[in-house]
Amino acid sequence: MARVLFREDEIRARVRALANAIADTYAGIEGPLTLVPVLSGSIIFVADLIRAMPLRLKLALIHVSTYPGRTTRAGEPKTVMALTGDVNGKHVLVVDDILDSGRTLASVCGLIREQKPASLRSAVLLRKPAGAQRVIDADFIGFDVSDFFVVGYGLDYDDLYRNYPHIGVLREELIR
Ligand code: IMP
Ligand code: MG
């Protein structure tokens, strides 16, 4: 890594705070919350988030690919695997690793909205400074980050480095 931005313990503390804020928001709902993790980047975030969330919940997975292969610039979000659960009439929280242009989140939220959920919100671990270009914002945000390409804690470059426990900026020479 060229630089570590967030260490494991700092991430843990922030994820717990987010889990509490989410649990507070959904405390009064009827029925379980349906969490929709956007694969693959959100897996570690979701694993930690749900274990810190004292709430009845279900998971419905969706796999969207925005950065195919060795790219650091977003293409069109492509649905690789459709939603694995029924979200009609459910309270839905979409969870993604990072919000940049918002096209990924917007496309997932669009697909979910077609199923007419009772409510729809989103949580992201990281948010980049996309400014006016952003098409959608998230309801719950872990950290705001500068416009670096970051990896670790689930985030990848060419599907690598997801298991790095901290969040860091990859060394320039490793990006081709
Ligand atoms: P958006 O569609 O432009 O908001 O891009 C968000 C998606 O691109 C996320 O689901 C991430 O998987 C991926 N992404 C964006 N920035 C990074 C990064 O710095 N590292 C790894 N993946 C990223
Ligand atoms: Mg992603």
PDB file of all heavy atoms in Angstrom, residues 4 11 15 27 34-35 41 58 65 70 75-76 96 107 109 140 142 144 163 169-170 173:
ATOM      1  N   VAL A   4      -2.076   3.908   4.266  1.00  0.00           N
ATOM      2  CA  VAL A   4      -3.255   3.351   4.917  1.00  0.00           C
ATOM      3  C   VAL A   4      -4.165   4.518   5.297  1.00  0.00           C
ATOM      4  O   VAL A   4      -3.730   5.469   5.942  1.00  0.00           O
ATOM      5  CB  VAL A   4      -2.874   2.527   6.166  1.00  0.00           C
ATOM      6  CG1 VAL A   4      -4.117   2.106   6.934  1.00  0.00           C
ATOM      7  CG2 VAL A   4      -2.078   1.286   5.764  1.00  0.00           C
ATOM      8  N   ILE A  11     -12.122   1.383  11.582  1.00  0.00           N
ATOM      9  CA  ILE A  11     -13.254   0.916  10.774  1.00  0.00           C
ATOM     10  C   ILE A  11     -14.281   0.236  11.677  1.00  0.00           C
ATOM     11  O   ILE A  11     -15.480   0.501  11.593  1.00  0.00           O
ATOM     12  CB  ILE A  11     -12.793  -0.073   9.669  1.00  0.00           C
ATOM     13  CG1 ILE A  11     -11.794   0.590   8.732  1.00  0.00           C
ATOM     14  CG2 ILE A  11     -13.991  -0.599   8.883  1.00  0.00           C
ATOM     15  CD1 ILE A  11     -11.087  -0.369   7.780  1.00  0.00           C
ATOM     16  N   VAL A  15     -18.139   1.306  11.997  1.00  0.00           N
ATOM     17  CA  VAL A  15     -19.178   0.369  11.551  1.00  0.00           C
ATOM     18  C   VAL A  15     -20.177   0.120  12.687  1.00  0.00           C
ATOM     19  O   VAL A  15     -21.383   0.054  12.467  1.00  0.00           O
ATOM     20  CB  VAL A  15     -18.560  -0.949  11.023  1.00  0.00           C
ATOM     21  CG1 VAL A  15     -19.618  -2.022  10.807  1.00  0.00           C
ATOM     22  CG2 VAL A  15     -17.806  -0.682   9.718  1.00  0.00           C
ATOM     23  N   ALA A  27     -36.124   0.739  14.203  1.00  0.00           N
ATOM     24  CA  ALA A  27     -36.600   0.135  15.457  1.00  0.00           C
ATOM     25  C   ALA A  27     -38.099  -0.157  15.439  1.00  0.00           C
ATOM     26  O   ALA A  27     -38.544  -1.158  15.980  1.00  0.00           O
ATOM     27  CB  ALA A  27     -36.228   1.019  16.625  1.00  0.00           C
ATOM     28  N   THR A  34     -34.936  -5.992   5.264  1.00  0.00           N
ATOM     29  CA  THR A  34     -34.224  -6.751   4.229  1.00  0.00           C
ATOM     30  C   THR A  34     -32.994  -5.957   3.803  1.00  0.00           C
ATOM     31  O   THR A  34     -33.105  -4.855   3.278  1.00  0.00           O
ATOM     32  CB  THR A  34     -35.110  -7.024   3.002  1.00  0.00           C
ATOM     33  OG1 THR A  34     -36.270  -7.739   3.434  1.00  0.00           O
ATOM     34  CG2 THR A  34     -34.367  -7.868   1.980  1.00  0.00           C
ATOM     35  N   LEU A  35     -31.836  -6.530   4.061  1.00  0.00           N
ATOM     36  CA  LEU A  35     -30.587  -5.909   3.658  1.00  0.00           C
ATOM     37  C   LEU A  35     -30.203  -6.435   2.289  1.00  0.00           C
ATOM     38  O   LEU A  35     -30.229  -7.652   2.072  1.00  0.00           O
ATOM     39  CB  LEU A  35     -29.493  -6.304   4.652  1.00  0.00           C
ATOM     40  CG  LEU A  35     -28.774  -5.143   5.316  1.00  0.00           C
ATOM     41  CD1 LEU A  35     -29.600  -4.741   6.523  1.00  0.00           C
ATOM     42  CD2 LEU A  35     -27.404  -5.560   5.761  1.00  0.00           C
ATOM     43  N   GLY A  41     -17.998  -6.233  -3.315  1.00  0.00           N
ATOM     44  CA  GLY A  41     -17.242  -5.315  -2.469  1.00  0.00           C
ATOM     45  C   GLY A  41     -17.764  -5.125  -1.054  1.00  0.00           C
ATOM     46  O   GLY A  41     -17.010  -4.764  -0.156  1.00  0.00           O
ATOM     47  N   LYS A  58     -33.199  -9.936   7.176  1.00  0.00           N
ATOM     48  CA  LYS A  58     -32.955 -10.951   6.158  1.00  0.00           C
ATOM     49  C   LYS A  58     -32.001 -10.367   5.129  1.00  0.00           C
ATOM     50  O   LYS A  58     -31.873  -9.149   5.028  1.00  0.00           O
ATOM     51  CB  LYS A  58     -34.265 -11.346   5.481  1.00  0.00           C
ATOM     52  CG  LYS A  58     -35.239 -12.045   6.418  1.00  0.00           C
ATOM     53  CD  LYS A  58     -36.439 -12.585   5.662  1.00  0.00           C
ATOM     54  CE  LYS A  58     -37.328 -13.378   6.614  1.00  0.00           C
ATOM     55  NZ  LYS A  58     -38.422 -14.054   5.889  1.00  0.00           N
ATOM     56  N   SER A  65     -21.511  -5.377 -11.372  1.00  0.00           N
ATOM     57  CA  SER A  65     -20.119  -5.135 -11.700  1.00  0.00           C
ATOM     58  C   SER A  65     -19.981  -3.801 -12.423  1.00  0.00           C
ATOM     59  O   SER A  65     -20.615  -3.556 -13.436  1.00  0.00           O
ATOM     60  CB  SER A  65     -19.600  -6.271 -12.576  1.00  0.00           C
ATOM     61  OG  SER A  65     -18.301  -5.973 -12.997  1.00  0.00           O
ATOM     62  N   ARG A  70      -9.220  -5.064 -14.760  1.00  0.00           N
ATOM     63  CA  ARG A  70      -8.212  -4.121 -14.278  1.00  0.00           C
ATOM     64  C   ARG A  70      -8.543  -2.688 -14.654  1.00  0.00           C
ATOM     65  O   ARG A  70      -7.812  -2.037 -15.396  1.00  0.00           O
ATOM     66  CB  ARG A  70      -6.865  -4.481 -14.882  1.00  0.00           C
ATOM     67  CG  ARG A  70      -6.336  -5.787 -14.347  1.00  0.00           C
ATOM     68  CD  ARG A  70      -5.021  -6.071 -15.034  1.00  0.00           C
ATOM     69  NE  ARG A  70      -4.534  -7.376 -14.596  1.00  0.00           N
ATOM     70  CZ  ARG A  70      -3.889  -8.199 -15.376  1.00  0.00           C
ATOM     71  NH1 ARG A  70      -3.644  -7.876 -16.620  1.00  0.00           N
ATOM     72  NH2 ARG A  70      -3.475  -9.357 -14.919  1.00  0.00           N
ATOM     73  N   GLY A  75     -17.405   1.765 -15.575  1.00  0.00           N
ATOM     74  CA  GLY A  75     -18.173   1.578 -16.800  1.00  0.00           C
ATOM     75  C   GLY A  75     -19.642   1.621 -16.440  1.00  0.00           C
ATOM     76  O   GLY A  75     -20.006   2.075 -15.367  1.00  0.00           O
ATOM     77  N   GLU A  76     -20.478   1.127 -17.338  1.00  0.00           N
ATOM     78  CA  GLU A  76     -21.904   1.009 -17.029  1.00  0.00           C
ATOM     79  C   GLU A  76     -22.099  -0.115 -16.007  1.00  0.00           C
ATOM     80  O   GLU A  76     -21.547  -1.182 -16.186  1.00  0.00           O
ATOM     81  CB  GLU A  76     -22.688   0.668 -18.299  1.00  0.00           C
ATOM     82  CG  GLU A  76     -23.254   1.857 -19.048  1.00  0.00           C
ATOM     83  CD  GLU A  76     -23.891   2.907 -18.162  1.00  0.00           C
ATOM     84  OE1 GLU A  76     -24.853   2.560 -17.445  1.00  0.00           O
ATOM     85  OE2 GLU A  76     -23.436   4.057 -18.174  1.00  0.00           O
ATOM     86  N   ASP A  96     -23.609  -0.908   0.004  1.00  0.00           N
ATOM     87  CA  ASP A  96     -22.492  -1.023  -0.933  1.00  0.00           C
ATOM     88  C   ASP A  96     -21.198  -0.564  -0.261  1.00  0.00           C
ATOM     89  O   ASP A  96     -21.226   0.094   0.775  1.00  0.00           O
ATOM     90  CB  ASP A  96     -22.765  -0.236  -2.224  1.00  0.00           C
ATOM     91  CG  ASP A  96     -21.949  -0.765  -3.413  1.00  0.00           C
ATOM     92  OD1 ASP A  96     -21.166  -1.730  -3.242  1.00  0.00           O
ATOM     93  OD2 ASP A  96     -22.085  -0.206  -4.518  1.00  0.00           O
ATOM     94  N   SER A 107     -28.611   2.220 -10.035  1.00  0.00           N
ATOM     95  CA  SER A 107     -29.141   1.099 -10.820  1.00  0.00           C
ATOM     96  C   SER A 107     -29.741   0.033  -9.907  1.00  0.00           C
ATOM     97  O   SER A 107     -30.805  -0.515 -10.201  1.00  0.00           O
ATOM     98  CB  SER A 107     -28.076   0.557 -11.788  1.00  0.00           C
ATOM     99  OG  SER A 107     -27.451  -0.581 -11.292  1.00  0.00           O
ATOM    100  N   CYS A 109     -30.981   0.536  -6.843  1.00  0.00           N
ATOM    101  CA  CYS A 109     -32.211   1.091  -6.258  1.00  0.00           C
ATOM    102  C   CYS A 109     -33.346   1.086  -7.281  1.00  0.00           C
ATOM    103  O   CYS A 109     -34.503   0.833  -6.932  1.00  0.00           O
ATOM    104  CB  CYS A 109     -31.969   2.501  -5.727  1.00  0.00           C
ATOM    105  SG  CYS A 109     -30.990   2.508  -4.210  1.00  0.00           S
ATOM    106  N   PHE A 140     -26.841   6.441   4.828  1.00  0.00           N
ATOM    107  CA  PHE A 140     -25.867   6.174   5.887  1.00  0.00           C
ATOM    108  C   PHE A 140     -24.488   6.084   5.248  1.00  0.00           C
ATOM    109  O   PHE A 140     -24.296   5.339   4.281  1.00  0.00           O
ATOM    110  CB  PHE A 140     -26.188   4.855   6.610  1.00  0.00           C
ATOM    111  CG  PHE A 140     -27.557   4.839   7.235  1.00  0.00           C
ATOM    112  CD1 PHE A 140     -28.631   4.282   6.543  1.00  0.00           C
ATOM    113  CD2 PHE A 140     -27.780   5.376   8.499  1.00  0.00           C
ATOM    114  CE1 PHE A 140     -29.902   4.254   7.115  1.00  0.00           C
ATOM    115  CE2 PHE A 140     -29.045   5.358   9.073  1.00  0.00           C
ATOM    116  CZ  PHE A 140     -30.111   4.797   8.375  1.00  0.00           C
ATOM    117  N   GLY A 142     -20.222   5.749   6.010  1.00  0.00           N
ATOM    118  CA  GLY A 142     -19.159   5.455   6.973  1.00  0.00           C
ATOM    119  C   GLY A 142     -18.125   6.569   7.029  1.00  0.00           C
ATOM    120  O   GLY A 142     -18.001   7.267   8.033  1.00  0.00           O
ATOM    121  N   ASP A 144     -16.094   9.742   4.529  1.00  0.00           N
ATOM    122  CA  ASP A 144     -15.829  10.439   3.267  1.00  0.00           C
ATOM    123  C   ASP A 144     -14.342  10.284   2.961  1.00  0.00           C
ATOM    124  O   ASP A 144     -13.507  10.414   3.856  1.00  0.00           O
ATOM    125  CB  ASP A 144     -16.194  11.923   3.392  1.00  0.00           C
ATOM    126  CG  ASP A 144     -17.685  12.149   3.161  1.00  0.00           C
ATOM    127  OD1 ASP A 144     -18.154  11.818   2.058  1.00  0.00           O
ATOM    128  OD2 ASP A 144     -18.379  12.626   4.081  1.00  0.00           O
ATOM    129  N   ASN A 163      -9.023  -9.004   1.055  1.00  0.00           N
ATOM    130  CA  ASN A 163      -8.748  -9.526   2.389  1.00  0.00           C
ATOM    131  C   ASN A 163      -7.762  -8.685   3.191  1.00  0.00           C
ATOM    132  O   ASN A 163      -7.459  -9.019   4.332  1.00  0.00           O
ATOM    133  CB  ASN A 163      -8.236 -10.969   2.300  1.00  0.00           C
ATOM    134  CG  ASN A 163      -6.993 -11.081   1.428  1.00  0.00           C
ATOM    135  OD1 ASN A 163      -6.840 -10.315   0.484  1.00  0.00           O
ATOM    136  ND2 ASN A 163      -6.136 -12.023   1.720  1.00  0.00           N
ATOM    137  N   VAL A 169      -4.554   3.010   0.062  1.00  0.00           N
ATOM    138  CA  VAL A 169      -4.358   3.439  -1.322  1.00  0.00           C
ATOM    139  C   VAL A 169      -3.277   2.548  -1.912  1.00  0.00           C
ATOM    140  O   VAL A 169      -2.187   2.435  -1.347  1.00  0.00           O
ATOM    141  CB  VAL A 169      -3.927   4.919  -1.389  1.00  0.00           C
ATOM    142  CG1 VAL A 169      -3.743   5.362  -2.834  1.00  0.00           C
ATOM    143  CG2 VAL A 169      -4.929   5.808  -0.675  1.00  0.00           C
ATOM    144  N   LEU A 170      -3.604   1.923  -3.029  1.00  0.00           N
ATOM    145  CA  LEU A 170      -2.687   0.989  -3.667  1.00  0.00           C
ATOM    146  C   LEU A 170      -1.499   1.726  -4.286  1.00  0.00           C
ATOM    147  O   LEU A 170      -1.658   2.822  -4.820  1.00  0.00           O
ATOM    148  CB  LEU A 170      -3.464   0.228  -4.738  1.00  0.00           C
ATOM    149  CG  LEU A 170      -2.921  -1.116  -5.190  1.00  0.00           C
ATOM    150  CD1 LEU A 170      -2.753  -2.069  -4.014  1.00  0.00           C
ATOM    151  CD2 LEU A 170      -3.885  -1.710  -6.204  1.00  0.00           C
ATOM    152  N   GLU A 173       2.443   1.648  -8.964  1.00  0.00           N
ATOM    153  CA  GLU A 173       3.016   0.674  -9.910  1.00  0.00           C
ATOM    154  C   GLU A 173       2.208  -0.639  -9.940  1.00  0.00           C
ATOM    155  O   GLU A 173       2.413  -1.471 -10.821  1.00  0.00           O
ATOM    156  CB  GLU A 173       4.486   0.410  -9.615  1.00  0.00           C
ATOM    157  CG  GLU A 173       4.781  -0.222  -8.265  1.00  0.00           C
ATOM    158  CD  GLU A 173       5.124   0.825  -7.192  1.00  0.00           C
ATOM    159  OE1 GLU A 173       4.569   1.948  -7.262  1.00  0.00           O
ATOM    160  OE2 GLU A 173       5.922   0.507  -6.307  1.00  0.00           O
TER     161      GLU A 173
END
